[in-house]
Amino acid sequence: FAYSNLNCSSYNFSGGTLQIGDAGTSSSGQTFNILTDNPIYNLTVDNTTTTKIGSIYNMYSAASYTLSAKGNVTIGSGSTLISNNNDFNIGGNFTNNGTYTCGTNNTTFNGTLVQTILGSTATTLYNMTINNTSATGVTISKPTTVSNAFTLTAGKVFTDASNLLIVAAGATSTAGTATSFVSGPMQKIGNSAFVFPVGKGNNWARIGITAPANPANALTTEYFNTP
């Protein structure tokens, strides 16, 4: 199902894929506006101009809305998804092949199966919350930066040396729990004291540092579950 230049006060879509815009060149652009808080299933943004999703980028009201995508979210090459300051809940994979502009919102990964952050473009999130209830958690397959606050509520985050979770200068993180931590390397930038919510396997093993003397430092930390 595909639509372009569509405005509506409410829209419900379940099953399949909702594609906003087209894959070809458009001089006028496409805009899709949802002015109520309704869940959809798969959100695909695939056009060559900026697409604004109304329930997270609301051009007609100062009210705040949350877009709940129960399935996968894909930003096509050359496309821009603007969520501005409204929250975005993602239940499936997040594929960024274009640009994601998040403003000061909270992006929550709240799936019940394994979720993956991937794509050709590294993603920066303002607030990132992990609330995945599966045993497999969230896998980062493209470097992901949190610029304000990283919150671990449920589920583990799996990283590797090429695909880091990066906490920017001035950003904070919760310490995690025994069932919710970063399994793999994690990087902190800046000169603030910080507790890395890391672990491996069934071991939650936080690593704390005092404030580094050099604010330009980027410290990468990983816990290894070996004697």
Side-chain angles (χ1 to χ4, degrees), residues 76-133:
S77 177
S79 301
T80 301
L81 172 60
I82 301 175
S83 65
N84 202 13
N85 301 327
N86 297 305
D87 292 343
F88 194 8
N89 296 332
I90 302 173
N93 297 332
F94 180 75
T95 303
N96 184 6
N97 294 321
T99 302
Y100 177 45
T101 304
C102 59
T104 57
N105 78 332
N106 189 57
T107 304
T108 299
F109 293 86
N110 62 350
T112 58
L113 301 173
V114 61
Q115 294 181 263
T116 305
I117 300 174
L118 65 164
S120 60
T121 305
T123 296
T124 297
L125 305 175
Y126 184 72
N127 294 327
M128 179 181 184
T129 297
I130 304 299
N131 191 20
N132 182 291
T133 57

Side-chain angles (χ1 to χ4, degrees), residues 26 41-42 77 83 93-94 109 116 140 147 149 158 167-169 181 193-194 225:
S26 171
Y41 192 70
N42 284 339
S77 177
S83 65
N93 297 332
F94 180 75
F109 293 86
T116 305
I140 293 181
S147 63
F158 296 91
V167 179
F181 52 78
F194 189 74
N225 184 22

Side-chain angles (χ1 to χ4, degrees), residues 3-97:
Y3 251 112
S4 63
N5 298 318
L6 175 67
N7 296 281
C8 54
S9 60
S10 64
Y11 191 75
N12 289 294
F13 186 84
S14 61
T17 299
L18 171 64
Q19 178 173 307
I20 302 170
D22 55 42
T25 301
S26 171
S27 58
S28 61
Q30 293 87 23
T31 300
F32 187 85
N33 297 296
I34 304 173
L35 303 185
T36 58
D37 185 7
N38 289 290
I40 62 176
Y41 192 70
N42 284 339
L43 169 63
T44 299
V45 179
D46 190 10
N47 62 279
T48 56
T49 58
T50 298
T51 295
K52 299 174 181 179
I53 310 303
S55 58
I56 45 178
Y57 187 87
N58 189 338
M59 296 188 296
Y60 305 120
S61 172
S64 178
Y65 295 99
T66 298
L67 177 66
S68 180
K70 293 183 178 179
N72 300 322
V73 174
T74 301
I75 304 174
S77 177
S79 301
T80 301
L81 172 60
I82 301 175
S83 65
N84 202 13
N85 301 327
N86 297 305
D87 292 343
F88 194 8
N89 296 332
I90 302 173
N93 297 332
F94 180 75
T95 303
N96 184 6
N97 294 321

